[in-house]
């Protein structure tokens, strides 16, 4: 694009995630994906870990909850405005409350709040979480314009037993409506399938009552960090103007590409997926190159 057509800042995203030094997830996938999508990322690191907590032992964990109010106050003094506020893994109910206050401070009619209520997978909570965390997340979800839970997180948020699927369209609609009753305006529910051979996402817009399903052929196995990769692709697409339905299908397709590349590389699952190799395709699909 000609330089004279460029004007003003890129759309800004406040990304509120931990930094896990090894094992690609949270900030280390959100930042590169959103930057490659032409969004300016303002990083609010909630904690610094040597690795993520899923599949490693002996990791370090430096909690940064106490730093966050001063971070927010400095950003306020700079009069920063955000197109999106995007939160993911949070370490404690106190941290959830701090992020909730950040959203209240920085939300505006021009801001979309994206909440990935990272809490667990395959029916179980991550080892570092308990009931108090689930209660905290329920409160935070009320503030979401777009909520991005997986099936496990949906079950904990709704306090219903986890069902490993496959699901029916009616069953999915019931879950989506119950989640919408908690407050979020739009929902993208991941880990969804109508049969054993496919997997994808179901999205729901509370305003129209419309549900849409996007699935692709399932790749067996558990791949760490795919929830974060999915949410980041979905946010990128929505911020670049795609509809909810198209953004959801886009994120399903690209996340599957990451998984296929990881299977081909045969790297340990806990190290995360090869999202790097999918960035060029993402940029092409977004019309950026
Ligand atoms: O991918 C979610 C995630 C993010 N951050 C940390 C985690 C996890 C999941 O285990 O441990 C620190």
């Amino acid at each position: 694009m000609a330089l004279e057509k460029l004007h003003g800042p890129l759309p800004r995203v406040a990304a509120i995630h931990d930094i896990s030094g090894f094992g690609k997830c949270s900030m280390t996938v959100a930042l590169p994906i959103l930057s490659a999508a032409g969004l300016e990322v303002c990083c609010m690191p909630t904690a610094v870990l040597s690795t993520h907590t899923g599949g490693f032992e002996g990791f370090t964990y430096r909690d940064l909850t106490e730093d966050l109010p001063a971070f927010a106050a400095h950003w306020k003094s700079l009069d920063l405005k955000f197109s999106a506020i995007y939160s993911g893994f949070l370490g404690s109910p106190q941290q959830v409350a701090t992020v909730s206050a950040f959203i209240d401070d920085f939300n505006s009619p021009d801001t979309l709040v994206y909440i990935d209520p990272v809490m667990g997978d395959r029916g179980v909570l991550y080892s570092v979480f308990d009931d108090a965390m689930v209660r905290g997340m329920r409160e935070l979800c009320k503030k979401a314009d777009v909520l991005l839970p997986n099936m496990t997180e949906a079950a904990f948020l709704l306090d219903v037993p986890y069902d490993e699927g496959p699901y029916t369209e009616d069953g999915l609609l019931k879950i989506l409506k119950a989640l919408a009753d908690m407050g979020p305006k739009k929902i993208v529910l991941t880990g969804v399938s109508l049969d054993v051979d496919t997997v994808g996402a179901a999205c729901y817009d509370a305003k129209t009552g419309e549900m849409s399903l996007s699935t692709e052929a399932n790749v067996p196995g558990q791949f760490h960090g795919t929830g974060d990769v999915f949410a980041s692709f979905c946010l990128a697409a929505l911020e670049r103007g795609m509809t909810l339905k198209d953004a959801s299908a886009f994120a399903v397709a690209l996340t599957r590409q990451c998984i296929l590349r990881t299977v081909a590389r045969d790297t340990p699952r806990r190290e995360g997926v090869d999202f790097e190799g999918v960035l060029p395709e993402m940029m092409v699909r977004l019309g950026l190159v």
Side-chain angles (χ1 to χ4, degrees):
M1 186 184 282
L3 283 180
E4 61 272 18
K5 291 203 178 145
L6 300 177
H7 178 71
L10 297 165
R12 286 204 171 113
V13 182
I16 308 174
H17 300 267
D18 64 275
I19 298 176
S20 291
F22 183 66
K24 292 175 277 182
C25 68
S26 45
M27 197 73 94
T28 65
V29 306
L31 175 57
I33 289 175
L34 301 182
S35 297
L39 305 170
E40 180 179 313
V41 182
C42 307
C43 293
M44 179 170 270
T46 53
V48 179
L49 298 85
S50 52
T51 67
H52 62 68
T53 67
F56 295 97
E57 277 175 13
F59 50 82
T60 69
Y61 189 110
R62 172 78 61 195
D63 184 87
L64 296 176
T65 308
E66 275 184 28
D67 294 79
L68 302 186
F71 234 89
H74 190 207
W75 284 1
K76 257 290 168 226
S77 77
L78 298 172
D79 201 24
L80 294 189
K81 307 263 194 287
F82 299 107
S83 297
I85 298 172
Y86 171 28
S87 80
F89 179 97
L90 299 172
S92 63
Q94 293 76 359
Q95 192 162 78
V96 175
T98 309
V99 170
S100 182
F102 178 90
I103 291 170
D104 292 343
D105 265 5
F106 284 89
N107 209 350
S108 80
D110 301 322
T111 307
L112 286 177
V113 177
Y114 297 79
I115 295 177
D116 181 355
V118 177
M119 286 191 290
D121 207 0
R122 304 220 160 188
V124 286
L125 285 183
Y126 292 132
S127 58
V128 287
F129 292 147
D130 58 14
D131 260 11
M133 193 64 193
V134 177
R135 287 195 297 275
M137 274 296 187
R138 276 188 199 126
E139 287 302 305
L140 190 64
C141 288
K142 293 180 181 168
K143 301 192 173 171
D145 290 295
V146 184
L147 182 69
L148 300 128
N150 62 26
M151 272 309 226
T152 302
E153 289 147 358
F156 278 101
L157 288 173
L158 296 173
D159 199 16
V160 298
Y162 171 71
D163 174 357
E164 64 177 17
Y167 313 95
T168 61
E169 287 206 31
D170 277 357
L172 289 174
L173 189 58
K174 235 169 144 179
I175 295 170
L176 289 162
K177 281 187 169 164
L179 288 168
D181 284 344
M182 295 176 66
K185 297 185 181 69
K186 294 178 183 179
I187 297 151
V188 185
L189 180 61
T190 59
V192 160
S193 59
L194 298 179
D195 57 65
V196 290
D197 301 321
T198 60
V199 70
C203 60
Y204 179 74
D205 185 333
K207 204 158 144 192
T208 60
E210 210 178 301
M211 175 178 88
S212 164
L213 206 59
S214 316
T215 56
E216 301 236 351
N218 187 26
V219 183
Q222 202 175 4
F223 296 86
H224 198 277
T226 47
D228 303 337
V229 165
F230 177 93
S232 300
F233 282 140
C234 196
L235 185 152
L238 288 167
E239 288 295 309
R240 302 285 335 176
M242 272 192 206
T243 63
L244 184 67
K245 181 180 168 196
D246 289 349
S248 176
F250 171 90
V252 168
L254 292 183
T255 303
R256 183 165 183 274
Q257 290 303 319
C258 297
I259 291 172
L260 289 175
R261 294 179 69 94
T262 306
V263 170
R265 287 186 182 282
D266 195 22
T267 48
R269 300 294 154 86
R270 67 182 186 175
E271 294 182 10
V273 290
D274 178 6
F275 74 88
E276 296 90 335
V278 181
L279 294 178
E281 183 181 343
M282 178 192 78
M283 294 174 79
V284 169
R285 287 196 186 206
L286 289 175
L288 295 171
V289 284

